[in-house]
Amino acid sequence: ADRRLLTQVDARLAAASEDPTATAAHQTRLAESLEAQNDPSALAAYRAALALDPESLGATRGLSRIAERTGDPVALAEAARREAAVSRNGEVAARLLVRSARVRLERLADAAGALEDLERALELHPDNVEAVERMVAALTKANDPTRLVDQLSRAATSAQMPERQAALWMEVARIYS
């Protein structure tokens, strides 16, 4: 009964607020209350909070918890991209974007979206081996060597580790051969 009352209060506060940031905070609290009750509408509440405040760490983490618990591929990919967007660590953000790309490729058949994630992952952390491997596989399958060479060249130029630079340039040379 107390949780239901708290949920009703949070819903009213979210509806009454005129400040988007405050509304997002109330919407996040509402989502947390719904999540605690295993109410499936918690996912929509977290998404509503994120629509108002895309950088809300609480709503982002809540979305991730629900995505992991349900295994919903759309939510998993979205949660990984949102976690990457709020991460202050490029290496962590790149790993999250690779996770999103993996879900988009393997479970959603969304090659275009996966490639966007992989390109962004390499921008953030050009030394990410899995991002390169998945990009090579996806663009080879799509028969797009020009785009692949462009992406690998950018990553090679930006890579921090000399062995990654060499490996990336070797991959570019392999494509040209």
Side-chain angles (χ1 to χ4, degrees):
D2 289 341
R3 283 196 193 270
R4 289 186 199 273
L5 179 59
L6 180 59
T7 302
Q8 290 174 353
V9 169
D10 287 331
R12 286 185 182 161
L13 288 170
S17 179
E18 293 183 20
D19 174 30
T21 305
T23 303
H26 291 303
Q27 194 70 36
T28 299
R29 282 189 38 101
L30 171 61
E32 289 167 348
S33 295
L34 293 167
E35 181 183 2
Q37 298 171 53
N38 291 318
D39 186 322
S41 64
L43 181 61
Y46 281 126
R47 284 179 170 147
L50 288 164
L52 295 166
D53 182 5
E55 295 182 9
S56 169
L57 190 56
T60 298
R61 295 282 162 81
L63 177 66
S64 292
R65 282 190 308 273
I66 290 177
E68 289 294 326
R69 190 175 67 240
T70 64
D72 174 2
V74 172
L76 284 167
E78 177 186 0
R81 286 192 310 279
R82 288 197 180 270
E83 288 266 359
V86 298
S87 176
R88 298 187 189 277
N89 180 316
E91 188 173 347
V92 170
R95 276 196 312 267
L96 290 161
L97 287 166
V98 169
R99 180 187 306 165
S100 173
R102 189 171 43 243
V103 170
R104 289 173 104 170
L105 274 172
E106 296 170 3
R107 297 185 60 195
L108 298 172
D110 178 11
L115 284 168
E116 288 174 15
D117 290 344
L118 293 169
E119 287 174 357
R120 182 69 179 132
L122 288 175
E123 287 173 16
L124 294 170
H125 188 64
D127 294 314
N128 187 298
V129 174
E130 187 179 0
V132 170
E133 290 171 351
R134 290 187 175 277
M135 179 165 291
V136 168
L139 288 175
T140 299
K141 183 177 180 179
N143 196 26
D144 194 348
T146 303
R147 185 174 175 189
L148 180 56
V149 166
D150 180 55
Q151 290 301 315
L152 293 176
S153 298
R154 286 184 201 183
T157 302
S158 302
Q160 299 298 306
M161 298 168 30
E163 62 272 14
R164 289 302 308 145
Q165 291 173 337
L168 290 163
W169 286 122
M170 291 296 290
E171 187 66 29
V172 169
R174 185 192 64 74
I175 294 165
Y176 277 125
S177 63

